[in-house]
Amino acid sequence: MISNTVIELKNINKTYPLGRENISALNDINLTVNKGDFLAITGASGSGKSTLMNILGFLDIQDSGDYLFLGENCKKYSDAELSNIRGRKIGFVFQSFHLLPNLTARQNVELPLIYNHISKKMRKNICEEALEKVGLTERGNHKPNQLSGGQKQRVAIARAMALSPSILLADEPTGNLDPISSEDVLNNLIKLNNDGTTIIMITHDKALAKKAKRHLQIQNGRIF
Ligand code: ADP
Ligand code: MG
């Protein structure tokens, strides 16, 4: 049977040392994300949002519990395998865009394709399609400093989507944007989700979170 589940977290715990004590950043997290989901997670500062995203994106490892990605327990993977899967199957969007300033929008989108040895012809097709999806065909030759905040984030989204990842992880994608650009970026995410992209988005903005298909809250490392 082909499973519809992209991510499954079972009893995930993560603590950090704080002086002589341990601080519990994630406390018995259980979460299932299916193909086509659009999950928004809100929570106060320090509630565990980034810790959760880091574990989901293989940038950190839980102390206990199981993380199943596309049905496979991540415990069986080596560091090299994890970074390979991360590069191919997980798209990241960050609050501060993380675009390379000396490259054009198109070249930024192309970068992960070059890393993954996609042929030049394929790269061109994929880049144009990705830029078109976020409405930036006309801005492909602009460098990041020639783009607005919302446009920069749309380039970052196009780059994250270039390899058609199994999941898009967005950590405060609208955190640096004004309300109108935030709405614009969210509408782009909604459109991608309507086309089948599975998305987990962290946000401070409950009004934006309500527009996702599911809205969960995290408080003191626990999900509600
Ligand atoms: P959020 O992203 O919701 O603001 P975090 O996941 O960054 O929250 O942090 C959750 C808790 O874990 C906080 O109490 C934070 O201080 C603590 N924490 C996060 N990262 C570290 C770390 N590298 N070392 C020690 N404590 C950390
Ligand atoms: Mg954070």
Side-chain angles (χ1 to χ4, degrees):
M1 196 185 84
I2 295 171
S3 166
N4 212 22
T5 303
V6 181
I7 278 172
E8 203 172 350
L9 300 181
K10 295 181 181 174
N11 311 107
I12 293 281
N13 289 284
K14 178 79 184 175
T15 62
Y16 292 110
L18 182 73
R20 286 193 198 165
E21 312 274 304
N22 278 328
I23 179 156
S24 170
L26 293 178
N27 200 328
D28 199 32
I29 300 284
N30 288 285
L31 180 66
T32 301
V33 180
N34 291 320
K35 201 169 178 328
D37 258 349
F38 186 171
L39 176 63
I41 301 175
T42 54
S45 185
S47 57
K49 303 184 298 295
S50 292
T51 304
L52 177 64
M53 279 309 230
N54 289 343
I55 290 173
L56 289 172
F58 304 160
L59 300 169
D60 201 355
I61 295 176
Q62 68 274 18
D63 298 328
S64 64
D66 290 300
Y67 176 8
L68 279 67
F69 185 78
L70 299 174
E72 304 289 340
N73 196 320
C74 294
K75 275 179 187 157
K76 71 180 196 183
Y77 294 126
S78 66
D79 285 350
E81 285 169 324
L82 286 174
S83 83
N84 193 24
I85 297 168
R86 181 193 307 125
R88 287 195 161 265
K89 302 274 187 195
I90 304 182
F92 290 94
V93 175
F94 303 97
Q95 177 169 351
S96 47
F97 321 128
H98 292 200
L99 297 176
L100 293 183
N102 296 323
L103 299 185
T104 64
R106 188 172 277 108
Q107 289 168 332
N108 269 284
V109 176
E110 193 178 14
L111 213 52
L113 301 168
I114 295 175
Y115 287 150
N116 280 280
H117 314 292
I118 310 291
S119 74
K120 196 168 179 186
K121 184 157 179 248
M122 289 261 287
R123 293 205 303 265
K124 189 172 182 321
N125 290 340
I126 294 171
C127 278
E128 293 321 307
E129 196 181 320
L131 285 172
E132 208 221 300
K133 267 193 187 155
V134 296
L136 285 177
T137 303
E138 311 295 311
R139 296 280 189 277
N141 292 328
H142 290 220
K143 291 195 173 159
N145 67 3
Q146 300 170 312
L147 298 169
S148 71
Q151 289 170 336
K152 280 184 221 173
Q153 195 59 296
R154 278 150 57 195
V155 174
I157 291 169
R159 178 183 57 187
M161 290 304 300
L163 284 159
S164 303
S166 301
I167 186 120
L168 187 65
L169 299 179
D171 193 350
E172 295 275 5
T174 65
N176 279 341
L177 302 178
D178 60 75
I180 289 175
S181 302
S182 297
E183 185 89 27
D184 173 41
V185 162
L186 186 79
N187 285 336
N188 273 273
L189 292 175
I190 290 172
K191 197 170 113 203
L192 289 174
N193 177 247
N194 287 337
D195 289 344
T197 305
T198 311
I199 302 175
I200 302 180
M201 174 181 75
I202 299 247
T203 177
H204 264 94
D205 190 329
K206 286 197 178 163
L208 288 188
K210 289 206 171 86
K211 297 191 178 174
K213 282 182 182 159
R214 290 165 70 195
H215 176 196
L216 298 178
Q217 310 205 41
I218 184 164
Q219 218 173 61
N220 295 325
R222 289 180 182 274
I223 278 186
F224 297 90

